[in-house]
Amino acid sequence: MSGLHLDALPPELRQKWAAARVWAAHRVPYLARALMTLDPVVVPDTEDTDDGAALRRFPADVGWHIHISPAEIGRQSVPQIGFWLLHQLTHVLRGHAAQFPTAGARPELVEGAETGLFPLTGRTPEQQVWNVATDAEINDDLLMAGLELPADAAMPGALGLPDNGLAERYWSLLRERTEPIEARLSAGDCGTGCDGRPRPWNCDWPGVSRTTAQLTALDTARRIRDHQRTREDVPGGWRRWADEVLEPTVNWRRQLAAQIRRGIADTAGRVDYTYRKPSRRAGSLPDVVLPGLHQALPVVAVVIDTSGSMSDSMLGQSLAEVSGVLRAVGIGRDRITVMSVDARVYRAQSLHRISDLRLGGGGGSDIRVGIAAAAALKPAPDLIVVLTDGHTPWPDAPPPRTRVVVGLLDPAGLPPDWATTVLISDQSRK
Ligand SMILES: [Zn+2]
């Protein structure tokens, strides 16, 4: 879609849009500058979009365009439009599109997902659950900033989620549930700015460059710090975000947790046709055994490099982090195998025997034997988490049908390019 500039709007609507922008900047002053970076695109109303369902929330995209339906500006009040401006800006500033987990389907989690209730947006159930998870993260902070929330704005409390959480955590919690999310909360679409997937109304205009986006994030984070120094009324989610943007260190705990969750979600979504469970249809065909749908729980192996260069405290902290994540996503101890490796596989044991692990085994390390031993486990692991300083030879290719996440404990170490790597550096271990 080509889109139109703001001056295509009738003067009264243009004034209302400008008033909403000013309103938003006054209510949340530390976001005022970033608000100015949003580039408005007028999307002419058609019979399809005029019912308000598609563009009710003024969805943004990753190029910082914000899409405006003239009918919606006419319909909503200045504070309502201002709320959505701040809301969509938050999706874009916090980079929700890049964080969208690509995971298996749980269509039953969204009310109406299989009944074609949302033909206009055509989103997958995962997109809808991610939208709700990110909204809960955002709206928590907007409420604390003193804004009034629209009726369809998802809040952690209304979803039975803990307050002040991050979208990734909400996503995992929502996906562990069996009851559907209320359609009222999951029907609204926050667009490409939320999940990175295309939308029919997106314009083909060039967007804000990556550098401008980064500079805007840095500038906004500094404003949040300054504001907090004098006024002390910045919501927790924004303070945490500013810390992450401004600190030179990476929050490895969050990254490692996200990568492990993503690896697990990939395998949890993989549905096997197996002969283990009889199909209900088999009753009518007595001589044939039909495959039943069997959703396998992921099996995880943790391979720990215990060569001389690794300190016990480094290993202990990262191992505690890994086991915490696995426990939080409901992977029981019986599905986790821990192996320690230096030049050979030292021992294989279950997670609750971590205290027995002999760390710092000494000698040169060869993580290849550890990965090979993990891949040979029965049942084969769906996810292998490797904790290492990286000073080791690696296999040329990953084991088949297994995702490998490397927790790298030395920035000078070299992880293989076929694995997902999270750097666990000294400075960030706080
Ligand atoms: Zn949203």
Side-chain angles (χ1 to χ4, degrees):
M1 186 171 285
S2 55
L4 300 169
H5 289 283
L6 217 46
D7 53 17
L9 287 177
E12 69 274 15
L13 294 186
R14 211 156 61 219
Q15 278 166 18
K16 199 168 175 187
W17 174 258
R21 203 130 123 154
V22 171
W23 181 94
H26 275 280
R27 297 306 289 264
V28 190
Y30 43 89
L31 296 181
R33 180 77 176 276
L35 272 172
M36 302 310 287
T37 310
L38 283 177
D39 187 15
V41 178
V42 176
V43 180
D45 296 302
T46 65
E47 285 196 0
D48 281 348
T49 60
D50 196 32
D51 65 0
L55 294 169
R56 194 178 63 231
R57 297 179 159 200
F58 304 95
D61 66 14
V62 289
W64 292 60
H65 303 109
I66 184 160
H67 299 89
I68 300 172
S69 140
E72 284 304 317
I73 301 191
R75 204 172 284 147
Q76 297 189 33
S77 69
V78 165
Q80 283 172 331
I81 301 168
F83 170 87
W84 288 118
L85 260 165
L86 292 164
H87 179 100
Q88 302 304 348
L89 173 68
T90 310
H91 277 301
V92 176
L93 260 180
R94 295 191 182 174
H96 285 154
Q99 296 165 28
F100 177 45
T102 47
R106 289 284 303 278
E108 69 279 10
L109 263 186
V110 177
E111 233 176 66
E114 285 170 315
T115 60
L117 204 68
F118 315 112
L120 202 60
T121 61
R123 289 183 301 160
T124 64
E126 294 97 313
Q127 284 177 286
Q128 287 174 284
V129 174
W130 179 245
N131 205 147
V132 172
T134 51
D135 283 359
E137 178 195 294
I138 294 172
N139 292 337
D140 219 2
D141 288 328
L142 290 182
L143 185 73
M144 280 169 66
L147 268 67
E148 213 172 287
L149 303 190
D152 63 337
M155 280 292 289
L159 290 155
L161 298 168
D163 285 342
N164 205 23
L166 292 168
E168 287 148 356
R169 171 138 177 76
Y170 290 156
W171 158 266
S172 315
L173 290 171
L174 288 171
R175 286 174 56 82
E176 282 164 19
R177 301 212 305 218
T178 47
E179 74 271 30
I181 298 164
E182 262 184 89
R184 174 176 65 93
L185 301 176
S186 62
D189 186 357
C190 290
T192 304
C194 171
D195 59 34
R197 304 291 157 89
R199 295 294 191 279
W201 53 79
N202 282 1
C203 63
D204 49 10
W205 303 359
V208 158
S209 72
R210 186 184 282 260
T211 310
T212 304
Q214 280 170 349
L215 290 175
T216 307
L218 271 173
D219 176 75
T220 307
R222 286 193 198 103
R223 282 164 195 271
I224 287 171
R225 283 249 172 113
D226 289 347
H227 188 92
Q228 177 63 13
R229 224 165 270 144
T230 52
R231 300 272 305 273
E232 296 190 343
D233 62 353
V234 178
W238 278 117
R239 289 205 306 273
R240 181 173 53 198
W241 175 82
D243 287 346
E244 273 169 32
V245 170
L246 293 174
E247 301 302 332
T249 57
V250 182
N251 185 339
W252 65 267
R253 288 192 171 85
R254 186 177 166 186
Q255 283 200 344
L256 187 64
Q259 290 306 334
I260 291 175
R261 286 206 185 95
R262 189 169 292 191
I264 289 164
D266 279 353
T267 58
R270 201 189 296 152
V271 177
D272 296 333
Y273 283 95
T274 119
Y275 290 86
R276 261 176 286 175
K277 278 190 195 169
S279 161
R280 257 181 270 155
R281 275 167 57 210
S284 57
L285 298 164
D287 297 332
V288 188
V289 179
L290 293 174
L293 264 185
H294 172 76
Q295 186 151 3
L297 276 168
V299 173
V300 180
V302 183
V303 177
I304 306 167
D305 176 354
T306 57
S307 62
S309 53
M310 307 273 293
S311 83
D312 283 10
S313 75
M314 284 167 94
L315 279 176
Q317 285 189 50
S318 37
L319 192 55
E321 205 60 35
V322 172
S323 55
V325 173
L326 293 176
R327 202 169 46 237
V329 297
I331 308 273
R333 286 168 174 171
D334 56 328
R335 310 199 73 85
I336 304 168
T337 305
V338 180
M339 316 175 110
S340 59
V341 180
D342 43 32
R344 62 193 179 88
V345 179
Y346 186 69
R347 59 176 97 158
Q349 52 205 306
S350 59
L351 194 63
H352 63 282
R353 301 288 302 277
I354 280 177
S355 53
D356 299 343
L357 263 183
R358 209 194 83 188
L359 301 177
S365 66
D366 187 348
I367 208 72
R368 288 178 301 190
V369 296
I371 291 176
L377 287 170
K378 298 274 183 278
D382 303 285
L383 173 69
I384 299 178
V385 180
V386 182
L387 299 174
T388 176
D389 59 10
H391 300 290
T392 167
W394 291 93
D396 294 331
R401 291 180 301 282
T402 300
R403 207 181 150 102
V404 178
V405 173
V406 175
L408 188 68
L409 290 102
D410 180 353
L414 278 179
D417 52 12
W418 46 256
T420 306
T421 299
V422 176
L423 179 64
I424 301 172
S425 66
D426 264 332
Q427 296 93 322
S428 66
R429 246 178 301 112
K430 49 182 182 188

